[in-house]
PDB file of all heavy atoms in Angstrom:
ATOM      1  N   VAL A 113      22.482  21.209  36.488  1.00  0.00           N
ATOM      2  CA  VAL A 113      21.350  20.380  36.901  1.00  0.00           C
ATOM      3  C   VAL A 113      20.057  21.094  36.556  1.00  0.00           C
ATOM      4  O   VAL A 113      19.095  20.455  36.058  1.00  0.00           O
ATOM      5  CB  VAL A 113      21.433  20.064  38.407  1.00  0.00           C
ATOM      6  CG1 VAL A 113      20.132  19.430  38.897  1.00  0.00           C
ATOM      7  CG2 VAL A 113      22.592  19.172  38.728  1.00  0.00           C
ATOM      8  N   LEU A 114      19.949  22.411  36.821  1.00  0.00           N
ATOM      9  CA  LEU A 114      18.746  23.171  36.447  1.00  0.00           C
ATOM     10  C   LEU A 114      18.492  23.053  34.955  1.00  0.00           C
ATOM     11  O   LEU A 114      17.354  22.829  34.533  1.00  0.00           O
ATOM     12  CB  LEU A 114      18.921  24.618  36.836  1.00  0.00           C
ATOM     13  CG  LEU A 114      18.824  24.943  38.335  1.00  0.00           C
ATOM     14  CD1 LEU A 114      19.115  26.434  38.532  1.00  0.00           C
ATOM     15  CD2 LEU A 114      17.434  24.657  38.857  1.00  0.00           C
ATOM     16  N   SER A 115      19.504  23.216  34.174  1.00  0.00           N
ATOM     17  CA  SER A 115      19.366  23.175  32.718  1.00  0.00           C
ATOM     18  C   SER A 115      18.956  21.781  32.257  1.00  0.00           C
ATOM     19  O   SER A 115      17.934  21.612  31.544  1.00  0.00           O
ATOM     20  CB  SER A 115      20.708  23.560  32.050  1.00  0.00           C
ATOM     21  OG  SER A 115      20.653  23.351  30.666  1.00  0.00           O
ATOM     22  N   ARG A 116      19.662  20.737  32.651  1.00  0.00           N
ATOM     23  CA  ARG A 116      19.422  19.374  32.193  1.00  0.00           C
ATOM     24  C   ARG A 116      18.063  18.860  32.716  1.00  0.00           C
ATOM     25  O   ARG A 116      17.466  17.980  32.090  1.00  0.00           O
ATOM     26  CB  ARG A 116      20.549  18.470  32.606  1.00  0.00           C
ATOM     27  CG  ARG A 116      20.470  17.028  32.116  1.00  0.00           C
ATOM     28  CD  ARG A 116      20.217  16.882  30.595  1.00  0.00           C
ATOM     29  NE  ARG A 116      21.239  17.520  29.793  1.00  0.00           N
ATOM     30  CZ  ARG A 116      22.332  16.944  29.334  1.00  0.00           C
ATOM     31  NH1 ARG A 116      22.608  15.689  29.708  1.00  0.00           N
ATOM     32  NH2 ARG A 116      23.191  17.596  28.578  1.00  0.00           N
ATOM     33  N   SER A 117      17.571  19.421  33.803  1.00  0.00           N
ATOM     34  CA  SER A 117      16.284  19.017  34.320  1.00  0.00           C
ATOM     35  C   SER A 117      15.180  19.235  33.340  1.00  0.00           C
ATOM     36  O   SER A 117      14.149  18.533  33.345  1.00  0.00           O
ATOM     37  CB  SER A 117      15.965  19.769  35.645  1.00  0.00           C
ATOM     38  OG  SER A 117      16.832  19.353  36.650  1.00  0.00           O
ATOM     39  N   VAL A 118      15.318  20.258  32.475  1.00  0.00           N
ATOM     40  CA  VAL A 118      14.304  20.493  31.467  1.00  0.00           C
ATOM     41  C   VAL A 118      14.244  19.334  30.475  1.00  0.00           C
ATOM     42  O   VAL A 118      13.142  18.832  30.151  1.00  0.00           O
ATOM     43  CB  VAL A 118      14.606  21.799  30.715  1.00  0.00           C
ATOM     44  CG1 VAL A 118      13.611  22.061  29.605  1.00  0.00           C
ATOM     45  CG2 VAL A 118      14.652  22.973  31.648  1.00  0.00           C
ATOM     46  N   GLY A 119      15.381  18.861  30.017  1.00  0.00           N
ATOM     47  CA  GLY A 119      15.368  17.714  29.108  1.00  0.00           C
ATOM     48  C   GLY A 119      14.910  16.454  29.814  1.00  0.00           C
ATOM     49  O   GLY A 119      14.195  15.639  29.237  1.00  0.00           O
ATOM     50  N   ILE A 120      15.317  16.311  31.042  1.00  0.00           N
ATOM     51  CA  ILE A 120      14.876  15.146  31.843  1.00  0.00           C
ATOM     52  C   ILE A 120      13.370  15.114  31.966  1.00  0.00           C
ATOM     53  O   ILE A 120      12.721  14.052  31.800  1.00  0.00           O
ATOM     54  CB  ILE A 120      15.560  15.142  33.226  1.00  0.00           C
ATOM     55  CG1 ILE A 120      17.054  14.824  33.078  1.00  0.00           C
ATOM     56  CG2 ILE A 120      14.878  14.164  34.182  1.00  0.00           C
ATOM     57  CD1 ILE A 120      17.863  15.064  34.359  1.00  0.00           C
ATOM     58  N   LEU A 121      12.768  16.271  32.263  1.00  0.00           N
ATOM     59  CA  LEU A 121      11.290  16.355  32.356  1.00  0.00           C
ATOM     60  C   LEU A 121      10.639  16.035  31.026  1.00  0.00           C
ATOM     61  O   LEU A 121       9.665  15.307  30.982  1.00  0.00           O
ATOM     62  CB  LEU A 121      10.919  17.746  32.829  1.00  0.00           C
ATOM     63  CG  LEU A 121       9.422  18.066  32.874  1.00  0.00           C
ATOM     64  CD1 LEU A 121       8.643  17.085  33.770  1.00  0.00           C
ATOM     65  CD2 LEU A 121       9.184  19.510  33.292  1.00  0.00           C
ATOM     66  N   ALA A 122      11.155  16.593  29.938  1.00  0.00           N
ATOM     67  CA  ALA A 122      10.580  16.330  28.620  1.00  0.00           C
ATOM     68  C   ALA A 122      10.632  14.840  28.252  1.00  0.00           C
ATOM     69  O   ALA A 122       9.635  14.293  27.759  1.00  0.00           O
ATOM     70  CB  ALA A 122      11.303  17.187  27.552  1.00  0.00           C
ATOM     71  N   HIS A 123      11.763  14.207  28.475  1.00  0.00           N
ATOM     72  CA  HIS A 123      11.880  12.801  28.161  1.00  0.00           C
ATOM     73  C   HIS A 123      11.025  11.936  29.056  1.00  0.00           C
ATOM     74  O   HIS A 123      10.485  10.909  28.610  1.00  0.00           O
ATOM     75  CB  HIS A 123      13.351  12.364  28.250  1.00  0.00           C
ATOM     76  CG  HIS A 123      14.160  12.740  27.010  1.00  0.00           C
ATOM     77  ND1 HIS A 123      14.215  11.957  25.898  1.00  0.00           N
ATOM     78  CD2 HIS A 123      14.891  13.835  26.753  1.00  0.00           C
ATOM     79  CE1 HIS A 123      14.935  12.521  24.977  1.00  0.00           C
ATOM     80  NE2 HIS A 123      15.379  13.662  25.479  1.00  0.00           N
ATOM     81  N   THR A 124      10.963  12.286  30.321  1.00  0.00           N
ATOM     82  CA  THR A 124      10.066  11.544  31.245  1.00  0.00           C
ATOM     83  C   THR A 124       8.647  11.586  30.772  1.00  0.00           C
ATOM     84  O   THR A 124       7.941  10.547  30.721  1.00  0.00           O
ATOM     85  CB  THR A 124      10.165  12.101  32.671  1.00  0.00           C
ATOM     86  OG1 THR A 124      11.546  12.017  33.132  1.00  0.00           O
ATOM     87  CG2 THR A 124       9.269  11.356  33.642  1.00  0.00           C
ATOM     88  N   TRP A 125       8.165  12.774  30.431  1.00  0.00           N
ATOM     89  CA  TRP A 125       6.788  12.935  30.023  1.00  0.00           C
ATOM     90  C   TRP A 125       6.540  12.208  28.711  1.00  0.00           C
ATOM     91  O   TRP A 125       5.524  11.546  28.537  1.00  0.00           O
ATOM     92  CB  TRP A 125       6.451  14.398  29.873  1.00  0.00           C
ATOM     93  CG  TRP A 125       5.038  14.713  29.482  1.00  0.00           C
ATOM     94  CD1 TRP A 125       4.603  15.296  28.353  1.00  0.00           C
ATOM     95  CD2 TRP A 125       3.874  14.348  30.219  1.00  0.00           C
ATOM     96  NE1 TRP A 125       3.250  15.363  28.330  1.00  0.00           N
ATOM     97  CE2 TRP A 125       2.745  14.792  29.472  1.00  0.00           C
ATOM     98  CE3 TRP A 125       3.627  13.697  31.435  1.00  0.00           C
ATOM     99  CZ2 TRP A 125       1.456  14.616  29.877  1.00  0.00           C
ATOM    100  CZ3 TRP A 125       2.328  13.534  31.861  1.00  0.00           C
ATOM    101  CH2 TRP A 125       1.232  13.987  31.098  1.00  0.00           C
ATOM    102  N   GLU A 126       7.458  12.315  27.732  1.00  0.00           N
ATOM    103  CA  GLU A 126       7.314  11.632  26.490  1.00  0.00           C
ATOM    104  C   GLU A 126       7.220  10.107  26.653  1.00  0.00           C
ATOM    105  O   GLU A 126       6.385   9.455  26.061  1.00  0.00           O
ATOM    106  CB  GLU A 126       8.472  11.948  25.527  1.00  0.00           C
ATOM    107  CG  GLU A 126       8.318  11.299  24.158  1.00  0.00           C
ATOM    108  CD  GLU A 126       9.485  11.597  23.228  1.00  0.00           C
ATOM    109  OE1 GLU A 126      10.614  11.209  23.581  1.00  0.00           O
ATOM    110  OE2 GLU A 126       9.256  12.214  22.197  1.00  0.00           O
ATOM    111  N   GLN A 127       8.090   9.578  27.536  1.00  0.00           N
ATOM    112  CA  GLN A 127       8.068   8.147  27.774  1.00  0.00           C
ATOM    113  C   GLN A 127       6.776   7.717  28.425  1.00  0.00           C
ATOM    114  O   GLN A 127       6.230   6.651  28.105  1.00  0.00           O
ATOM    115  CB  GLN A 127       9.256   7.706  28.655  1.00  0.00           C
ATOM    116  CG  GLN A 127       9.478   6.243  28.761  1.00  0.00           C
ATOM    117  CD  GLN A 127       9.758   5.582  27.434  1.00  0.00           C
ATOM    118  OE1 GLN A 127      10.720   5.974  26.768  1.00  0.00           O
ATOM    119  NE2 GLN A 127       8.949   4.613  27.048  1.00  0.00           N
ATOM    120  N   MET A 128       6.251   8.531  29.303  1.00  0.00           N
ATOM    121  CA  MET A 128       4.977   8.216  29.926  1.00  0.00           C
ATOM    122  C   MET A 128       3.864   8.165  28.909  1.00  0.00           C
ATOM    123  O   MET A 128       2.922   7.351  28.980  1.00  0.00           O
ATOM    124  CB  MET A 128       4.639   9.253  31.008  1.00  0.00           C
ATOM    125  CG  MET A 128       5.467   9.087  32.269  1.00  0.00           C
ATOM    126  SD  MET A 128       5.080  10.376  33.507  1.00  0.00           S
ATOM    127  CE  MET A 128       5.869   9.658  34.951  1.00  0.00           C
ATOM    128  N   GLN A 129       3.922   9.040  27.875  1.00  0.00           N
ATOM    129  CA  GLN A 129       2.906   9.037  26.839  1.00  0.00           C
ATOM    130  C   GLN A 129       3.068   7.815  25.898  1.00  0.00           C
ATOM    131  O   GLN A 129       2.096   7.258  25.413  1.00  0.00           O
ATOM    132  CB  GLN A 129       2.980  10.312  26.004  1.00  0.00           C
ATOM    133  CG  GLN A 129       2.889  11.582  26.781  1.00  0.00           C
ATOM    134  CD  GLN A 129       1.786  11.591  27.785  1.00  0.00           C
ATOM    135  OE1 GLN A 129       0.589  11.486  27.438  1.00  0.00           O
ATOM    136  NE2 GLN A 129       2.088  11.719  29.075  1.00  0.00           N
ATOM    137  N   GLN A 130       4.324   7.414  25.697  1.00  0.00           N
ATOM    138  CA  GLN A 130       4.584   6.238  24.827  1.00  0.00           C
ATOM    139  C   GLN A 130       4.213   4.942  25.500  1.00  0.00           C
ATOM    140  O   GLN A 130       3.871   3.951  24.811  1.00  0.00           O
ATOM    141  CB  GLN A 130       6.075   6.199  24.434  1.00  0.00           C
ATOM    142  CG  GLN A 130       6.486   7.314  23.482  1.00  0.00           C
ATOM    143  CD  GLN A 130       7.977   7.264  23.177  1.00  0.00           C
ATOM    144  OE1 GLN A 130       8.728   6.440  23.698  1.00  0.00           O
ATOM    145  NE2 GLN A 130       8.418   8.196  22.336  1.00  0.00           N
ATOM    146  N   GLY A 131       4.260   4.925  26.810  1.00  0.00           N
ATOM    147  CA  GLY A 131       3.991   3.687  27.549  1.00  0.00           C
ATOM    148  C   GLY A 131       5.203   2.791  27.610  1.00  0.00           C
ATOM    149  O   GLY A 131       6.334   3.235  27.444  1.00  0.00           O
ATOM    150  N   GLY A 132       4.953   1.506  27.845  1.00  0.00           N
ATOM    151  CA  GLY A 132       6.051   0.577  27.965  1.00  0.00           C
ATOM    152  C   GLY A 132       6.251   0.234  29.428  1.00  0.00           C
ATOM    153  O   GLY A 132       5.978   1.053  30.322  1.00  0.00           O
ATOM    154  N   ARG A 133       6.675  -0.994  29.649  1.00  0.00           N
ATOM    155  CA  ARG A 133       6.879  -1.477  31.042  1.00  0.00           C
ATOM    156  C   ARG A 133       8.287  -2.056  31.217  1.00  0.00           C
ATOM    157  O   ARG A 133       8.742  -2.819  30.372  1.00  0.00           O
ATOM    158  CB  ARG A 133       5.842  -2.554  31.372  1.00  0.00           C
ATOM    159  CG  ARG A 133       4.405  -2.060  31.415  1.00  0.00           C
ATOM    160  CD  ARG A 133       3.407  -3.201  31.530  1.00  0.00           C
ATOM    161  NE  ARG A 133       3.606  -3.962  32.773  1.00  0.00           N
ATOM    162  CZ  ARG A 133       3.027  -3.673  33.957  1.00  0.00           C
ATOM    163  NH1 ARG A 133       2.228  -2.615  34.021  1.00  0.00           N
ATOM    164  NH2 ARG A 133       3.210  -4.409  34.991  1.00  0.00           N
ATOM    165  N   ASN A 134       8.898  -1.596  32.284  1.00  0.00           N
ATOM    166  CA  ASN A 134      10.230  -2.163  32.654  1.00  0.00           C
ATOM    167  C   ASN A 134      11.215  -2.179  31.456  1.00  0.00           C
ATOM    168  O   ASN A 134      11.854  -3.170  31.174  1.00  0.00           O
ATOM    169  CB  ASN A 134      10.092  -3.586  33.197  1.00  0.00           C
ATOM    170  CG  ASN A 134       9.422  -3.597  34.567  1.00  0.00           C
ATOM    171  OD1 ASN A 134       9.493  -2.621  35.326  1.00  0.00           O
ATOM    172  ND2 ASN A 134       8.726  -4.684  34.854  1.00  0.00           N
ATOM    173  N   LYS A 135      11.304  -1.069  30.793  1.00  0.00           N
ATOM    174  CA  LYS A 135      12.217  -0.984  29.647  1.00  0.00           C
ATOM    175  C   LYS A 135      13.659  -0.776  30.232  1.00  0.00           C
ATOM    176  O   LYS A 135      13.937   0.222  30.891  1.00  0.00           O
ATOM    177  CB  LYS A 135      11.840   0.169  28.764  1.00  0.00           C
ATOM    178  CG  LYS A 135      12.643   0.216  27.453  1.00  0.00           C
ATOM    179  CD  LYS A 135      12.033   1.212  26.484  1.00  0.00           C
ATOM    180  CE  LYS A 135      12.750   1.176  25.147  1.00  0.00           C
ATOM    181  NZ  LYS A 135      12.120   2.070  24.134  1.00  0.00           N
ATOM    182  N   GLY A 136      14.519  -1.724  29.959  1.00  0.00           N
ATOM    183  CA  GLY A 136      15.851  -1.665  30.464  1.00  0.00           C
ATOM    184  C   GLY A 136      16.840  -0.995  29.538  1.00  0.00           C
ATOM    185  O   GLY A 136      16.478  -0.490  28.486  1.00  0.00           O
ATOM    186  N   PRO A 137      18.121  -1.016  29.868  1.00  0.00           N
ATOM    187  CA  PRO A 137      19.136  -0.352  29.020  1.00  0.00           C
ATOM    188  C   PRO A 137      19.480  -1.099  27.772  1.00  0.00           C
ATOM    189  O   PRO A 137      20.220  -0.549  26.932  1.00  0.00           O
ATOM    190  CB  PRO A 137      20.347  -0.254  29.976  1.00  0.00           C
ATOM    191  CG  PRO A 137      20.167  -1.422  30.923  1.00  0.00           C
ATOM    192  CD  PRO A 137      18.711  -1.552  31.083  1.00  0.00           C
ATOM    193  N   LEU A 138      19.044  -2.324  27.628  1.00  0.00           N
ATOM    194  CA  LEU A 138      19.345  -3.157  26.423  1.00  0.00           C
ATOM    195  C   LEU A 138      18.070  -3.692  25.816  1.00  0.00           C
ATOM    196  O   LEU A 138      17.111  -3.987  26.515  1.00  0.00           O
ATOM    197  CB  LEU A 138      20.236  -4.335  26.803  1.00  0.00           C
ATOM    198  CG  LEU A 138      21.656  -4.035  27.327  1.00  0.00           C
ATOM    199  CD1 LEU A 138      22.281  -5.328  27.835  1.00  0.00           C
ATOM    200  CD2 LEU A 138      22.499  -3.431  26.198  1.00  0.00           C
ATOM    201  N   PRO A 139      18.057  -3.834  24.479  1.00  0.00           N
ATOM    202  CA  PRO A 139      16.902  -4.485  23.846  1.00  0.00           C
ATOM    203  C   PRO A 139      16.749  -5.918  24.400  1.00  0.00           C
ATOM    204  O   PRO A 139      17.738  -6.532  24.850  1.00  0.00           O
ATOM    205  CB  PRO A 139      17.272  -4.518  22.376  1.00  0.00           C
ATOM    206  CG  PRO A 139      18.259  -3.399  22.223  1.00  0.00           C
ATOM    207  CD  PRO A 139      19.016  -3.347  23.468  1.00  0.00           C
ATOM    208  N   ARG A 140      15.540  -6.434  24.360  1.00  0.00           N
ATOM    209  CA  ARG A 140      15.295  -7.758  24.932  1.00  0.00           C
ATOM    210  C   ARG A 140      16.127  -8.865  24.357  1.00  0.00           C
ATOM    211  O   ARG A 140      16.463  -9.830  25.020  1.00  0.00           O
ATOM    212  CB  ARG A 140      13.794  -8.108  24.815  1.00  0.00           C
ATOM    213  CG  ARG A 140      12.986  -7.747  26.004  1.00  0.00           C
ATOM    214  CD  ARG A 140      11.535  -8.198  25.850  1.00  0.00           C
ATOM    215  NE  ARG A 140      10.758  -7.146  25.271  1.00  0.00           N
ATOM    216  CZ  ARG A 140       9.440  -7.252  25.037  1.00  0.00           C
ATOM    217  NH1 ARG A 140       8.843  -8.391  25.288  1.00  0.00           N
ATOM    218  NH2 ARG A 140       8.760  -6.263  24.526  1.00  0.00           N
ATOM    219  N   ASP A 141      16.448  -8.755  23.074  1.00  0.00           N
ATOM    220  CA  ASP A 141      17.205  -9.858  22.417  1.00  0.00           C
ATOM    221  C   ASP A 141      18.717  -9.645  22.575  1.00  0.00           C
ATOM    222  O   ASP A 141      19.510 -10.424  22.005  1.00  0.00           O
ATOM    223  CB  ASP A 141      16.818  -9.947  20.956  1.00  0.00           C
ATOM    224  CG  ASP A 141      17.079  -8.649  20.202  1.00  0.00           C
ATOM    225  OD1 ASP A 141      17.318  -7.628  20.874  1.00  0.00           O
ATOM    226  OD2 ASP A 141      16.949  -8.657  18.942  1.00  0.00           O
ATOM    227  N   ALA A 142      19.144  -8.647  23.301  1.00  0.00           N
ATOM    228  CA  ALA A 142      20.576  -8.415  23.506  1.00  0.00           C
ATOM    229  C   ALA A 142      20.926  -8.785  24.958  1.00  0.00           C
ATOM    230  O   ALA A 142      20.156  -8.534  25.860  1.00  0.00           O
ATOM    231  CB  ALA A 142      20.900  -6.946  23.246  1.00  0.00           C
ATOM    232  N   THR A 143      22.070  -9.391  25.105  1.00  0.00           N
ATOM    233  CA  THR A 143      22.492  -9.744  26.462  1.00  0.00           C
ATOM    234  C   THR A 143      23.879  -9.135  26.677  1.00  0.00           C
ATOM    235  O   THR A 143      24.496  -8.536  25.799  1.00  0.00           O
ATOM    236  CB  THR A 143      22.602 -11.249  26.664  1.00  0.00           C
ATOM    237  OG1 THR A 143      23.460 -11.823  25.641  1.00  0.00           O
ATOM    238  CG2 THR A 143      21.210 -11.902  26.558  1.00  0.00           C
ATOM    239  N   TRP A 144      24.370  -9.252  27.885  1.00  0.00           N
ATOM    240  CA  TRP A 144      25.612  -8.645  28.275  1.00  0.00           C
ATOM    241  C   TRP A 144      26.748  -9.678  28.143  1.00  0.00           C
ATOM    242  O   TRP A 144      26.518 -10.868  27.905  1.00  0.00           O
ATOM    243  CB  TRP A 144      25.492  -8.166  29.714  1.00  0.00           C
ATOM    244  CG  TRP A 144      24.930  -9.229  30.615  1.00  0.00           C
ATOM    245  CD1 TRP A 144      25.608 -10.135  31.360  1.00  0.00           C
ATOM    246  CD2 TRP A 144      23.541  -9.517  30.858  1.00  0.00           C
ATOM    247  NE1 TRP A 144      24.761 -10.959  32.034  1.00  0.00           N
ATOM    248  CE2 TRP A 144      23.449 -10.594  31.750  1.00  0.00           C
ATOM    249  CE3 TRP A 144      22.314  -8.946  30.401  1.00  0.00           C
ATOM    250  CZ2 TRP A 144      22.243 -11.110  32.197  1.00  0.00           C
ATOM    251  CZ3 TRP A 144      21.125  -9.434  30.849  1.00  0.00           C
ATOM    252  CH2 TRP A 144      21.085 -10.533  31.727  1.00  0.00           C
ATOM    253  N   THR A 145      27.968  -9.217  28.372  1.00  0.00           N
ATOM    254  CA  THR A 145      29.131 -10.073  28.372  1.00  0.00           C
ATOM    255  C   THR A 145      29.317 -10.687  29.767  1.00  0.00           C
ATOM    256  O   THR A 145      29.458  -9.971  30.741  1.00  0.00           O
ATOM    257  CB  THR A 145      30.389  -9.320  27.967  1.00  0.00           C
ATOM    258  OG1 THR A 145      30.230  -8.781  26.668  1.00  0.00           O
ATOM    259  CG2 THR A 145      31.621 -10.211  28.016  1.00  0.00           C
ATOM    260  N   TYR A 146      29.257 -11.998  29.842  1.00  0.00           N
ATOM    261  CA  TYR A 146      29.469 -12.684  31.103  1.00  0.00           C
ATOM    262  C   TYR A 146      30.963 -12.978  31.266  1.00  0.00           C
ATOM    263  O   TYR A 146      31.594 -13.564  30.386  1.00  0.00           O
ATOM    264  CB  TYR A 146      28.642 -13.975  31.186  1.00  0.00           C
ATOM    265  CG  TYR A 146      28.914 -14.765  32.436  1.00  0.00           C
ATOM    266  CD1 TYR A 146      28.439 -14.293  33.673  1.00  0.00           C
ATOM    267  CD2 TYR A 146      29.618 -15.959  32.424  1.00  0.00           C
ATOM    268  CE1 TYR A 146      28.684 -14.982  34.848  1.00  0.00           C
ATOM    269  CE2 TYR A 146      29.867 -16.675  33.571  1.00  0.00           C
ATOM    270  CZ  TYR A 146      29.350 -16.211  34.789  1.00  0.00           C
ATOM    271  OH  TYR A 146      29.617 -16.880  35.949  1.00  0.00           O
ATOM    272  N   SER A 147      31.527 -12.600  32.374  1.00  0.00           N
ATOM    273  CA  SER A 147      33.007 -12.774  32.578  1.00  0.00           C
ATOM    274  C   SER A 147      33.308 -13.650  33.800  1.00  0.00           C
ATOM    275  O   SER A 147      34.448 -13.736  34.223  1.00  0.00           O
ATOM    276  CB  SER A 147      33.653 -11.401  32.758  1.00  0.00           C
ATOM    277  OG  SER A 147      33.102 -10.724  33.855  1.00  0.00           O
ATOM    278  N   GLY A 148      32.263 -14.321  34.335  1.00  0.00           N
ATOM    279  CA  GLY A 148      32.461 -15.148  35.527  1.00  0.00           C
ATOM    280  C   GLY A 148      32.812 -16.587  35.172  1.00  0.00           C
ATOM    281  O   GLY A 148      33.085 -16.929  34.014  1.00  0.00           O
ATOM    282  N   LYS A 149      32.738 -17.420  36.218  1.00  0.00           N
ATOM    283  CA  LYS A 149      33.053 -18.854  36.011  1.00  0.00           C
ATOM    284  C   LYS A 149      31.936 -19.547  35.273  1.00  0.00           C
ATOM    285  O   LYS A 149      30.774 -19.154  35.355  1.00  0.00           O
ATOM    286  CB  LYS A 149      33.255 -19.518  37.359  1.00  0.00           C
ATOM    287  CG  LYS A 149      34.485 -19.002  38.113  1.00  0.00           C
ATOM    288  CD  LYS A 149      34.615 -19.726  39.447  1.00  0.00           C
ATOM    289  CE  LYS A 149      35.860 -19.237  40.215  1.00  0.00           C
ATOM    290  NZ  LYS A 149      35.996 -19.894  41.541  1.00  0.00           N
ATOM    291  N   ARG A 150      32.286 -20.572  34.550  1.00  0.00           N
ATOM    292  CA  ARG A 150      31.323 -21.359  33.820  1.00  0.00           C
ATOM    293  C   ARG A 150      31.029 -22.624  34.598  1.00  0.00           C
ATOM    294  O   ARG A 150      31.941 -23.213  35.252  1.00  0.00           O
ATOM    295  CB  ARG A 150      31.831 -21.772  32.435  1.00  0.00           C
ATOM    296  CG  ARG A 150      32.099 -20.569  31.514  1.00  0.00           C
ATOM    297  CD  ARG A 150      30.810 -20.022  30.982  1.00  0.00           C
ATOM    298  NE  ARG A 150      31.063 -18.882  30.088  1.00  0.00           N
ATOM    299  CZ  ARG A 150      30.123 -18.170  29.524  1.00  0.00           C
ATOM    300  NH1 ARG A 150      28.850 -18.478  29.749  1.00  0.00           N
ATOM    301  NH2 ARG A 150      30.396 -17.143  28.737  1.00  0.00           N
TER     302      ARG A 150
END
């Protein structure tokens, strides 16, 4: 955790500099697999 925290901090700071709002785990034009009832 101590080690990986360095990378976590670096990526957090870089993302803050890049900006962006509510960036999720998937690109906006990609959706997930729906497995429920239709």
Side-chain angles (χ1 to χ4, degrees):
V113 170
L114 286 175
S115 173
R116 184 51 57 89
S117 292
V118 177
I120 289 169
L121 174 58
H123 280 274
T124 299
W125 181 243
E126 181 181 63
Q127 189 63 55
M128 286 178 166
Q129 305 313 299
Q130 290 178 358
R133 294 171 62 87
N134 290 332
K135 189 169 184 176
L138 294 171
R140 264 184 269 181
D141 57 350
T143 57
W144 49 92
T145 299
Y146 177 70
S147 59
K149 294 180 179 180
R150 298 284 179 182

